[in-house]
């Protein structure tokens, strides 16, 4: 059992006899005194199936399932299926593009620190590292004297992700991006 306030994205909960992987958590803080903070959980069934949506108070107990995390590396793409190889025993895991749509913006062939999330023998998703290094493929030209300003410009990265970067960043540079906030952190 886990308190609703301690749930996080990619946790697996059990509801109505089915396992669901949490995809999104929205926190709603009431303005009235004494009212409880609500956690709106959106999840999808492990292995495909119906979606699940529920609201919990912060101190509600939610049944969670223990996850096994295995280090993996992106191997290849087969249609809409993404194949990942286990770094320890070299077994392969297949994940559908729909199941990892949020994570795809950060995954390249050389992304390190990826973890496959397993429940029993089923792989239900990926856990990203805190930050990844991506290459800038398209952005406006750098401005001279831009290093002293705090202004930003949009930059498209090699995975298609668009983030705001400082004006001194040019095409071809590698940048570190925070995976949780989807924001530029630094040059790599």
């Amino acid at each position: 059992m886990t308190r609703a306030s301690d749930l996080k994205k990619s946790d697996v909960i059990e509801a109505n006899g089915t396992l669901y992987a949490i995809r999104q958590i929205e926190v709603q803080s009431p303005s009235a005194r004494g009212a409880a903070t609500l956690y709106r959980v959106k999840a999808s069934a492990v292995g495909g199936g119906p979606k699940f949506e529920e609201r919990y108070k912060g101190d509600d107990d939610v049944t969670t399932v223990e996850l096994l995390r295995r280090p993996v590396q992106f191997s290849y793409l087969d249609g809409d299926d993404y194949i990942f190889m286990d770094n320890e025993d070299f077994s392969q895991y297949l994940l559908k593009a729909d199941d990892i749509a949020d994570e795809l913006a950060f995954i390249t062939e050389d992304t390190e620190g990826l973890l496959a999330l397993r429940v029993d023998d089923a792989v239900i998703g990926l856990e990203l590292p805190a930050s990844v290094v991506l290459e800038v493929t398209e952005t406006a030209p750098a401005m001279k004297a831009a290093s002293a300003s705090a202004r930003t410009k949009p930059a498209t990265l090699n995975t298609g992700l668009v983030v705001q970067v400082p004006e001194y960043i040019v095409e071809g540079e590698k940048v570190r991006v925070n995976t949780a906030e989807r924001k530029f952190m630094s040059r790599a």
Side-chain angles (χ1 to χ4, degrees), residues 8 37 66 70 110-111 119 122 170 181:
K8 56 187 180 288
T37 300
E66 190 64 33
R70 301 285 297 184
D110 55 350
T111 302
V119 175
V170 296
E181 298 176 0

Side-chain angles (χ1 to χ4, degrees), residues 72-133:
V72 295
Q73 180 177 350
F74 175 63
S75 192
Y76 64 93
L77 176 64
D78 183 19
D80 283 343
D81 298 334
Y82 286 78
I83 313 301
F84 293 87
M85 182 180 67
D86 191 309
N87 291 348
E88 295 172 0
D89 66 7
F90 306 110
S91 57
Q92 295 189 354
Y93 306 124
L94 179 138
L95 288 165
K96 298 280 184 198
D98 294 342
D99 294 338
I100 57 171
D102 292 341
E103 291 85 358
L104 288 178
F106 301 102
I107 297 173
T108 62
E109 289 183 6
D110 55 350
T111 302
E112 294 182 10
L114 288 174
L115 296 174
L117 304 174
R118 289 179 44 190
V119 175
D120 300 326
D121 290 333
V123 177
I124 60 151
L126 293 174
E127 185 174 296
L128 295 169
S131 65
V132 294
V133 175

Side-chain angles (χ1 to χ4, degrees), residues 3-151:
R3 291 181 56 192
S5 60
D6 295 333
L7 289 174
K8 56 187 180 288
K9 192 175 172 184
S10 78
D11 278 352
V12 177
I13 59 175
E14 185 177 348
N16 306 326
T18 306
L19 297 178
Y20 295 96
I22 296 176
R23 299 291 180 214
Q24 184 179 356
I25 298 175
E26 295 175 11
V27 180
Q28 299 171 339
S29 298
S31 59
R33 288 188 195 193
T37 300
L38 296 176
Y39 295 85
R40 183 176 178 195
V41 174
K42 293 182 180 180
S44 56
V46 171
K51 304 273 189 233
F52 174 78
E53 190 172 322
E54 186 67 49
R55 288 183 189 190
Y56 298 104
K57 291 181 180 176
D59 56 354
D60 286 350
D61 285 330
V62 181
T63 305
T64 55
V65 177
E66 190 64 33
L67 291 175
L68 176 65
R69 289 172 165 79
R70 301 285 297 184
V72 295
Q73 180 177 350
F74 175 63
S75 192
Y76 64 93
L77 176 64
D78 183 19
D80 283 343
D81 298 334
Y82 286 78
I83 313 301
F84 293 87
M85 182 180 67
D86 191 309
N87 291 348
E88 295 172 0
D89 66 7
F90 306 110
S91 57
Q92 295 189 354
Y93 306 124
L94 179 138
L95 288 165
K96 298 280 184 198
D98 294 342
D99 294 338
I100 57 171
D102 292 341
E103 291 85 358
L104 288 178
F106 301 102
I107 297 173
T108 62
E109 289 183 6
D110 55 350
T111 302
E112 294 182 10
L114 288 174
L115 296 174
L117 304 174
R118 289 179 44 190
V119 175
D120 300 326
D121 290 333
V123 177
I124 60 151
L126 293 174
E127 185 174 296
L128 295 169
S131 65
V132 294
V133 175
L134 298 172
E135 184 178 342
V136 176
T137 58
E138 183 181 327
T139 189
M143 295 178 61
K144 300 207 181 233
S147 60
S149 72
R151 294 186 307 195

Side-chain angles (χ1 to χ4, degrees), residues 154-165:
T156 304
L157 306 177
N158 57 337
T159 60
L161 179 67
V162 177
V163 296
Q164 292 291 322
V165 298

